[in-house]
Amino acid sequence: MIKTVGVDIGGSHITSALVDDITSNIVAGTYFRGTVNSKASKDLIFKDWSRVINKTLQSINSNETIGIGFAMPGPFQYKTGKAMFEKNDKYESLYQVSIIDELVDYLDSKNVVLRFLNDAASFGVGGKLTNEFNDKKRVVAITIGTGFGASFLIDNLPVSDDYSAPVDGCLWNKEYKDGISDDYFSTRWFISRYCFLSGKSNIYGVKDIVNMNDKYTAQVFEEFSNNFNNFMLPYLLDFKADLVLVGGNITKSQELFLPIAIEFWKKNGVDIPVKIIQKSEEANLIGAAYLFNDAFWGRIKDGLPSV
């Protein structure tokens, strides 16, 4: 039986772990995390990735075929495994590089099969697999951190071509105000907006803004809440969602915006449960490893988005 590893690729980190294909739990002693300089050369990025993945491979110590599923941010050709990162301030040295063809040279095991899924879709699949949501059929999964991720699931399957879901099944690139949604629902928006309002410059993350706990903190979160509530409402209505999963670094500050969002959506016809997934990276790993579930792969492989 093939062993399955989940890998989560972030803007500044990578995590890797063996996932039990029966229980969908991460196997103890196989979880590793490392930092990545996403602006480095291709060689250095692959060395950073492989350093972590190889630790998991070494902990497995198996001669069997190992399936490695990647929770990968876009833009990316998920069918072919080719990176399309361009003009998005991360992994640009991998532009048009085949991860399938080139990363294997850095791995300790050559007996591997690589598959790829959008990181937000991986989060949605993993979040639903590891919680008791079997009665929920239409799920919207949202991650807010270095970027804005979203996926739309019907019966555990991320959809990109259903009439009720947005084009490509994602939201990060949808038009909003003077740009796209990723410009407004990400760490960089919080930092930029807080620094603009306060005149301060020594702010490096949302945690710093929360710790300031001043009038500008309140204003930033109020603006974020208003933008987020109004942006998400039509998508939740169109999709007829019966559950929302929320993950990413923003969950650490969820009390500052999520109750407002839930109340707003409720008043506007979306009265559904909202579940915080605290261990977002673990959900990403589990969802990515699920690419090696034969039934799931058979249903998803032909519909994987190309970017």
Side-chain angles (χ1 to χ4, degrees), residues 190-211:
F190 277 96
I191 295 173
S192 174
R193 189 59 179 157
Y194 181 87
C195 290
F196 174 81
L197 292 172
S198 68
K200 298 175 181 177
S201 59
N202 58 335
I203 301 298
Y204 304 102
V206 177
K207 182 179 179 180
D208 294 336
I209 297 172
V210 173
N211 289 340

Side-chain angles (χ1 to χ4, degrees), residues 29-89:
T30 69
Y31 178 94
F32 297 94
R33 194 179 199 276
T35 58
V36 179
N37 178 4
S38 63
K39 298 181 181 181
S41 67
K42 177 184 72 173
D43 180 63
L44 289 177
I45 288 172
F46 280 163
K47 284 180 178 177
D48 282 343
W49 286 4
S50 61
R51 188 176 299 113
V52 173
I53 297 171
N54 283 335
K55 288 180 180 179
T56 296
L57 296 179
Q58 291 161 10
S59 70
I60 298 171
N61 191 26
S62 172
N63 293 322
E64 299 177 73
T65 299
I66 297 174
I68 305 178
F70 288 79
M72 184 73 73
F76 194 88
Q77 292 185 357
Y78 295 94
K79 293 180 181 179
T80 64
K82 181 181 289 188
M84 300 301 292
F85 304 112
E86 185 182 27
K87 298 179 181 179
N88 58 350
D89 202 35

Side-chain angles (χ1 to χ4, degrees), residues 15-18 26-33 56 59 281-282 285:
T15 55
S16 175
L18 178 67
I26 290 175
V27 177
T30 69
Y31 178 94
F32 297 94
R33 194 179 199 276
T56 296
S59 70
E281 286 183 16
E282 291 190 11
L285 298 176

Side-chain angles (χ1 to χ4, degrees), residues 254-292:
Q254 58 91 13
E255 72 279 358
L256 296 177
F257 78 95
L258 199 54
I260 300 171
I262 293 172
E263 185 62 25
F264 176 85
W265 295 336
K266 186 176 181 180
K267 288 180 179 178
N268 287 275
V270 181
D271 187 8
I272 59 176
V274 178
K275 172 68 176 179
I276 294 291
I277 305 296
Q278 297 287 0
K279 297 181 178 180
S280 302
E281 286 183 16
E282 291 190 11
N284 288 359
L285 298 176
I286 292 165
Y290 202 62
L291 287 167
F292 291 90

Side-chain angles (χ1 to χ4, degrees), residues 46 49 72-78 80-86 90-100 116 306:
F46 280 163
W49 286 4
M72 184 73 73
F76 194 88
Q77 292 185 357
Y78 295 94
T80 64
K82 181 181 289 188
M84 300 301 292
F85 304 112
E86 185 182 27
K90 64 183 178 185
Y91 297 123
E92 291 182 303
S93 63
L94 301 184
Y95 181 62
Q96 292 192 333
V97 170
S98 171
I99 308 302
I100 289 178
F116 304 87
S306 58

Side-chain angles (χ1 to χ4, degrees), residues 23-25 123 125-133 277 282-283 286:
T23 65
S24 291
N25 291 328
F123 167 75
V125 172
K128 194 166 188 297
L129 281 173
T130 54
N131 291 273
E132 294 301 320
F133 302 130
I277 305 296
E282 291 190 11
I286 292 165

